């Protein structure tokens, strides 16, 4: 990052044939030309200098880096030092009495695009990307973006860019650019010729603020329809509605009042919990790749070829990730029939993407060609990485890892996708535990962004680094975790199902709890989730862990009874809920409530009304408490890693930033006292499951947050 304004912004003069000059103002604030204080001051100084120089007839603002500008410097948000504010810079640009031309030699996002919108002319190349991604940080473009973009691009186009935050290619954006050249290599020459022509012709200064939006082009109906169209996708989010209101202001108010309205809405967003949560998450995601287990000097192994054992639900999805990244995969099953089935399912998945227009049929064939099936271990002799995704049984895993140990070349990484088994025990089946690691994908593995990278006791730094970096190549967000039952995500989710089941015994209607959790922002409540995943999955896990749960006779007893009656969930048409033939809509079943009543009586549990608040607390707080234990044990290195796991692996609402950020926001004292309350009020059951983690107690007493650790 540039230290001062002289470094951050470079001023040059270029002579034209007729003795006139162009001022060239280059932003160069690595890595992304963030509009930090040094850049804002530099721009003001450079523009002031150019305006004062009579020989300068036009001014170009461009970049010496690969990006025009990535936008605001988010690290300044915390300091609150916004001087000089970006709108002051933009005012100076827009009201200048010499033409100012933005030459976008690379992507312009957020404040970067707002700079360009305030210029009098804009030039770029066809494939260049621009966007206003502020909504992803829980805010809106606060430097005139919501007022200027609709004036240039029209309301419909601007609305979509501002509300979704998605980048758009320049060639697809109408009204914004005065010149779009085909190739980036031609940009500078053509941009200079364009500027010379402007000066020669004495072209007018085109101020975006002077454009009036024809209100007939943006009737109330347009906004109404837009709101309806995005309602589902934006459920629970605060900022998108404020973005829409800001664009409405661009239509209904004169420019200056519109800017004022944008400022008010920006402040509303900025002070919201959601903005804090989304900005926390932005940094959390980036921080996940900073781990202490290796450094810059640690070598990385080259991964050119991958083997996958097991072409079932997970193996197939995992294979697709590599094929999508152009990495060849050898897929092994013991029986040809299982292999054919697995490969056919992969093909069907690709073909369904092609039908939706996401892939061409040539791309489907290219990817399928990268997938080679086999039933012979010898075909894995030259792979650089093997990922095992066979049945979740230690004996089967041992058999596989012994075979891999024999056949794989030295230095090959041997990974397991196990969800619950002890990775160290798996590694012990080999003579090379330093090369063994966990790669815990989430289902569906070709879709879910999360990868828990599980480091075993002996996993070498080199292996850890290679896998963490490989994750990026296959478009995953990797979080490094340690070995324990369920690692981070599944260990924490255990309390989720347990409390849901227990509350049903205490008199809760499943649909009521599912609604509360859905309204909290999760994609679905615990009962719907259990039915969808298959109640039998949890059942088998419980069967294998009796020693940890049998002290509590109420433990998931309803789920167990339902599975024993064949009510395994959606796939059977009945689980906690009933499902009509071919439908995924859960229908409450009075028989389940009757069963709950009988079991409660048998166990001596009295049924009662459970408030929404109690439901939420009993679902979320033990999960957070487990997170605290995980931090204490060093299974996760930082609380923000847990947040990344929950947002990307479990659909935890990003506007709450993840469970640990949510706890920090409501206050750890609240979580701690509630844990104590349930421990004391729920009798023996409370004593089993509501013991506050020592770390939670300590931080609550000190008035600290998980983020302070
Ligand atoms: P699955 O039953 O769908 O697939 C397992 C496949 O492995 C089957 O096709 C089977 O024929 C094959 N197989 C079994 N033994 C084999 C052997 N010795 N050699 C070669 N192939 C063999 O199971 P799945 O859901 O894909 O789970 C696989 C692994 O992934 C398990 O360890 C599981 O815990 C883990 N996992 C599953 C999920 C999930 O949601 N399903 C999520 C994360 C991790």
């Amino acid at each position: 990052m540039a230290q001062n304004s002289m470094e951050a912004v470079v001023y040059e003069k270029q002579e034209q044939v007729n003795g006139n000059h162009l001022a060239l103002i280059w932003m160069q604030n690595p890595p992304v030309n963030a509009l930090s204080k040094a850049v804002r001051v530099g721009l003001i100084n450079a523009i002031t200098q150019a305006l004062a120089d009579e020989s300068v007839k036009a001014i170009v603002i461009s970049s010496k880096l690969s990006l025009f500008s990535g936008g605001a410097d988010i690290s300044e948000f915390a300091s609150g030092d916004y001087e000089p504010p970006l709108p002051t810079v933009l005012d100076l640009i827009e009201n200048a009495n010499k033409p100012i031309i933005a030459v976008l030699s690379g992507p312009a996002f957020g404040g970067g695009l707002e700079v360009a919108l305030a210029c009098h002319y804009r030039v770029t190349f066809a494939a260049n990307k621009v966007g206003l991604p502020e909504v992803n940080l829980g805010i809106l473009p606060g430097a005139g973006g919501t007022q200027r973009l609709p004036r240039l691009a029209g309301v419909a186009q601007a609305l979509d860019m501002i509300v979704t935050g998605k980048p758009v290619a320049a060639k697809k954006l109408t009204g914004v650019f005065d010149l779009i050249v085909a190739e980036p290599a031609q940009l500078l020459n053509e941009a200079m010729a364009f500027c010379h022509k402007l000066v020669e012709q004495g072209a007018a200064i085109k101020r975006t603020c002077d454009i009036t939006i024809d209100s007939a082009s943006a009737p109330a109906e347009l906004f109404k329809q837009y709101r309806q169209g995005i309602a589902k996708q934006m459920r629970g989010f605060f900022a998108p509605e404020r973005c829409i209101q800001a664009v409405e202001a661009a239509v209904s108010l004169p420019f200056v009042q519109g800017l004022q309205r944008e400022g008010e809405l920006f402040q509303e967003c900025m002070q919201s919990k959601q903005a804090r949560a989304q900005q926390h998450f932005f940094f959390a995601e980036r921080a996940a790749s900073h781990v202490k287990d290796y450094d810059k000097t640690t070598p990385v192994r080259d991964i050119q070829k991958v083997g996958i054992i097991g072409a079932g639900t997970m193996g197939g999805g995992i294979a697709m990730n590599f094929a999508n990244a152009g990495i060849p995969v050898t897929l092994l099953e013991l029986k040809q029939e299982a292999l054919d089935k697995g490969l056919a399912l992969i093909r069907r998945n690709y073909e369904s993407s092609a039908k939706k227009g996401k892939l061409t049929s040539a791309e489907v064939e290219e990817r399928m060609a990268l997938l080679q099936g086999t039933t012979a271990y010898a075909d894995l002799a030259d792979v650089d990485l093997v990922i095992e995704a066979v049945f979740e049984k230690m004996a089967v895993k041992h058999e596989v890892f012994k075979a891999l140990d024999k056949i794989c070349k030295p230095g090959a990484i041997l990974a397991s996708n196990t969800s619950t088994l002890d990775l160290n025990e798996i590694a012990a089946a080999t003579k090379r535990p330093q090369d063994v690691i966990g790669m815990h994908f989430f289902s569906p593995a070709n879709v879910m962004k999360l990868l828990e990278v599980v480091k075993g006791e002996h996993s070498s730094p080199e292996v850890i680094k290679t896998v963490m970096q490989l994750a990026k190549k296959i478009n995953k967000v990797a979080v490094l975790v340690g070995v324990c039952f369920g690692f981070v995500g599944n260990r924490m989710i255990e309390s989720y199902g347990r409390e849901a089941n227990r509350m049903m015994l205490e008199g809760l209607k499943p649909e009521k709890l599912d609604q509360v959790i859905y309204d909290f922002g999760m994609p679905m409540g615990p009962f719907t989730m259990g039915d969808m995943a298959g109640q039998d999955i949890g059942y088998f896990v419980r069967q294998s862990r009796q020693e940890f749960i049998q002290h509590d006779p109420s433990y998931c007893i309803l789920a167990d009874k339902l599975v024993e009656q064949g009510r395994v969930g959606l796939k059977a048409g009945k689980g906690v809920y009933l499902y009509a033939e071919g439908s995924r809509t859960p229908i409450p079943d009075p028989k389940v409530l009757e069963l709950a009543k009988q079991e409660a009586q048998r166990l001596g549990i009295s049924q009662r009304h459970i408030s929404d608040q109690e439901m939420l607390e009993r679902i979320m707080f033990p999960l957070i408490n487990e997170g605290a234990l995980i931090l204490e044990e060093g299974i996760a290195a930082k609380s923000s890693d847990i947040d990344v796991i929950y947002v990307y692996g479990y659909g935890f609402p990003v506007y709450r930033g993840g469970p640990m950020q949510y706890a920090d926001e409501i206050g750890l004292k609240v979580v701690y006292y509630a844990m104590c309350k349930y421990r004391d009020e729920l009798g023996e059951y409370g004593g089993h499951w509501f013991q506050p983690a020592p770390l939670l107690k300590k931080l609550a007493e000190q008035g600290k947050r998980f983020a302070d650790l």
Side-chain angles (χ1 to χ4, degrees):
M1 186 162 299
Q3 296 302 310
N4 58 51
S5 59
M6 303 279 281
E7 273 179 29
V9 174
V10 175
Y11 182 84
E12 284 172 9
K13 266 171 76 174
Q14 191 186 73
E15 193 166 354
Q16 295 182 257
V17 244
N18 52 12
N20 290 330
H21 285 84
L22 274 183
L24 304 178
I25 298 176
W26 304 102
M27 295 184 282
Q28 51 164 25
N29 184 28
V32 297
N33 262 340
L35 298 165
S36 41
K37 194 184 190 84
V39 176
R40 300 193 302 270
V41 171
L43 283 172
I44 290 179
N45 292 345
I47 294 163
T48 310
Q49 187 179 346
L51 293 176
D53 184 338
E54 278 189 17
S55 73
V56 169
K57 302 297 175 200
I59 303 164
V60 168
I61 300 180
S62 192
S63 154
K64 290 264 185 196
L65 309 182
S66 59
L67 262 81
F68 177 76
S69 165
D73 181 349
I74 302 171
S75 61
E76 282 182 359
F77 284 13
S79 72
D81 179 10
Y82 302 125
E83 289 299 325
L86 185 59
T88 305
V89 184
L90 303 192
D91 249 10
L92 180 66
I93 293 176
E94 193 161 54
N95 295 314
N97 55 8
K98 296 177 186 178
I100 303 192
I101 304 100
V103 176
L104 274 59
S105 50
F109 297 126
L113 180 57
E114 287 177 305
V115 168
L117 297 175
C119 291
H120 308 129
Y121 294 89
R122 282 153 294 277
V123 178
T124 193
F125 58 93
N128 196 21
K129 291 264 168 87
V130 297
L132 292 172
E134 285 83 349
V135 73
N136 297 324
L137 296 174
I139 54 174
L140 52 81
T146 68
Q147 305 304 298
R148 291 192 180 93
L149 188 61
R151 282 178 161 76
L152 288 166
V155 172
Q157 232 182 172
L159 200 52
D160 210 44
M161 278 178 74
I162 295 167
V163 176
T164 67
K166 285 193 187 131
V168 178
K171 62 181 170 206
K172 295 209 170 140
L173 191 56
T174 50
V176 172
F177 293 98
D178 301 277
L179 173 68
I180 297 181
V181 308
E183 297 299 328
Q186 305 160 340
L187 180 69
L188 221 47
N189 277 345
E190 293 203 27
M192 290 307 142
F194 176 83
C195 295
H196 292 166
K197 210 157 143 201
L198 284 182
V199 174
E200 248 172 53
Q201 295 174 342
I205 291 177
K206 292 199 303 172
R207 295 194 173 95
T208 309
C209 61
D210 291 341
I211 301 170
T212 30
I213 299 175
D214 173 12
S215 54
S217 74
E221 189 58 26
L222 181 142
F223 290 100
K224 191 174 153 202
Q225 277 181 10
Y226 191 78
R227 282 189 170 94
Q228 282 168 355
I230 59 153
K232 204 168 162 200
Q233 190 189 343
M234 300 295 175
R235 176 174 71 94
F237 282 91
F238 183 79
E241 170 56 28
R242 271 79 210 160
C243 290
I244 299 177
Q245 289 176 16
V247 178
E248 279 175 327
V251 179
S252 62
L253 299 175
F255 183 74
V256 175
Q257 279 96 316
L259 275 187
Q260 212 173 338
R261 183 74 190 121
E262 178 194 82
E264 291 160 8
L265 290 163
F266 177 82
Q267 282 308 327
E268 265 184 45
C269 288
M270 200 61 183
Q271 281 151 22
S272 69
K273 290 179 197 171
Q274 293 201 358
R276 278 195 292 281
Q278 287 179 256
Q279 286 160 30
H280 157 82
F281 191 74
F282 176 88
F283 288 112
E285 185 176 346
R286 277 145 191 84
S289 60
H290 302 155
V291 302
K292 294 203 179 107
D293 299 72
Y294 52 81
D295 60 28
K296 277 189 194 140
T297 63
T298 312
V300 176
R301 296 187 192 167
D302 197 17
I303 306 295
Q304 301 265 5
K305 267 179 145 183
V306 173
I308 292 172
I309 319 280
T313 311
M314 295 306 288
I318 297 169
M320 289 174 76
N321 291 314
F322 287 97
N324 296 348
I327 301 172
V329 175
T330 306
L331 201 52
L332 182 140
E333 274 276 350
L334 291 183
K335 297 209 173 92
Q336 188 64 39
E337 199 190 340
L339 183 60
D340 293 343
K341 203 171 134 202
L343 283 167
L345 181 62
I346 296 177
R347 177 172 278 285
R348 273 208 302 285
N349 279 335
Y350 277 137
E351 281 172 354
S352 121
S353 296
K355 265 198 201 124
K356 290 180 199 145
K358 291 182 187 161
L359 287 178
T360 63
S361 35
E363 281 166 335
V364 173
E365 294 315 318
E366 264 167 40
R367 289 176 199 199
M368 285 309 296
L370 288 167
L371 301 170
Q372 211 63 47
T374 184
T375 53
Y377 269 91
D379 288 338
L380 299 179
D382 66 341
V383 298
D384 306 299
L385 161 74
V386 190
I387 303 170
E388 163 279 308
V390 302
F391 301 140
E392 187 74 341
K393 291 232 162 62
M394 187 55 88
V396 188
K397 306 273 186 199
H398 263 203
E399 204 181 287
V400 170
F401 275 78
K402 277 197 178 117
L404 292 175
D405 197 23
K406 270 196 203 121
I407 203 79
C408 290
K409 66 183 183 189
I413 296 176
L414 311 182
S416 171
N417 181 47
T418 179
S419 322
T420 54
L421 299 176
D422 182 343
L423 184 81
N424 296 325
E425 213 180 315
I426 296 178
T430 73
K431 291 191 199 71
R432 38 174 134 174
Q434 73 282 0
D435 291 332
V436 178
I437 194 162
M439 288 178 78
H440 185 215
F441 288 85
F442 285 68
S443 182
N446 54 323
V447 177
M448 298 296 285
K449 283 208 66 101
L450 179 65
L451 177 67
E452 278 185 336
V453 175
V454 188
K455 61 172 168 175
E457 201 184 336
H458 300 290
S459 310
S460 77
E462 202 175 313
V463 168
I464 299 174
K465 186 172 178 181
T466 304
V467 171
M468 291 294 286
Q469 295 196 348
L470 180 67
K472 283 200 186 120
K473 253 191 219 162
I474 57 168
N475 208 12
K476 299 286 165 195
V477 176
V479 181
L480 187 62
V481 302
V483 176
C484 66
F485 175 80
F487 313 121
V488 170
N490 286 343
R491 172 169 161 184
M492 284 169 67
I493 206 80
E494 187 260 355
S495 62
Y496 198 80
R498 181 193 72 218
E499 281 311 302
N501 265 276
R502 168 74 191 201
M503 282 194 276
M504 201 167 26
L505 284 179
E506 292 175 24
L508 172 96
K509 286 193 171 129
E511 65 274 20
K512 195 83 191 37
L513 174 68
D514 277 355
Q515 189 64 48
V516 166
I517 298 304
Y518 178 78
D519 291 344
F520 176 81
M522 299 297 287
M524 62 188 88
F527 294 113
T528 316
M529 184 175 92
D531 270 4
M532 208 143 146
Q535 297 286 358
D536 47 338
I537 294 188
Y539 181 85
F540 291 123
V541 173
R542 289 192 291 278
Q543 292 301 307
S544 68
R545 304 190 72 231
Q546 279 302 314
E547 73 258 45
F548 301 104
I549 55 184
Q550 62 193 4
H551 60 289
D552 172 11
S554 74
Y555 192 97
C556 289
I557 188 72
L558 281 173
D560 285 352
K561 298 258 165 191
L562 291 174
V563 172
E564 282 157 13
Q565 291 174 16
R567 300 186 63 139
V568 292
L570 183 61
K571 59 189 168 191
K574 55 186 180 182
V576 171
Y577 297 109
L578 295 174
Y579 301 86
E581 179 91 31
S583 158
R584 300 169 78 85
T585 309
I587 305 165
D589 183 358
K591 276 196 201 142
V592 172
L593 293 184
E594 194 44 48
L595 179 68
K597 207 166 165 187
Q598 283 166 16
E599 284 302 306
Q601 267 168 5
R602 185 176 69 79
L603 294 162
I605 297 167
S606 47
Q607 293 203 317
R608 64 190 167 92
H609 169 76
I610 298 179
S611 70
D612 289 5
Q613 184 187 344
E614 179 173 346
M615 284 181 220
L616 187 62
E617 290 180 350
R618 284 181 61 183
I619 290 292
M620 290 299 164
F621 291 1
L623 185 144
I624 292 161
N625 193 57
E626 200 65 36
L629 289 171
I630 281 170
L631 286 173
E632 271 182 300
E633 293 167 24
I635 298 294
K638 42 194 183 301
S639 66
S640 62
D641 283 353
I642 300 179
D643 288 335
V644 174
I645 289 174
Y646 263 78
V647 170
Y648 281 135
Y650 299 84
F652 200 94
V654 66
Y655 60 73
R656 297 192 192 274
M660 307 313 267
Q661 163 68 19
Y662 168 65
D664 278 348
E665 182 69 41
I666 59 176
L668 296 190
K669 274 200 176 95
V670 173
V671 181
Y672 171 67
Y673 287 129
M675 287 295 292
C676 295
K677 181 178 103 151
Y678 294 120
R679 176 195 60 198
D680 301 340
E681 284 179 359
L682 294 174
E684 207 181 334
Y685 181 82
H688 287 322
W689 304 112
F690 281 86
Q691 295 297 345
L695 178 67
L696 175 66
K697 179 170 190 276
K698 190 174 96 186
L699 292 174
E701 283 171 355
Q702 294 174 345
K704 287 194 174 156
R705 307 173 317 144
F706 289 123
D708 296 328
L709 285 171

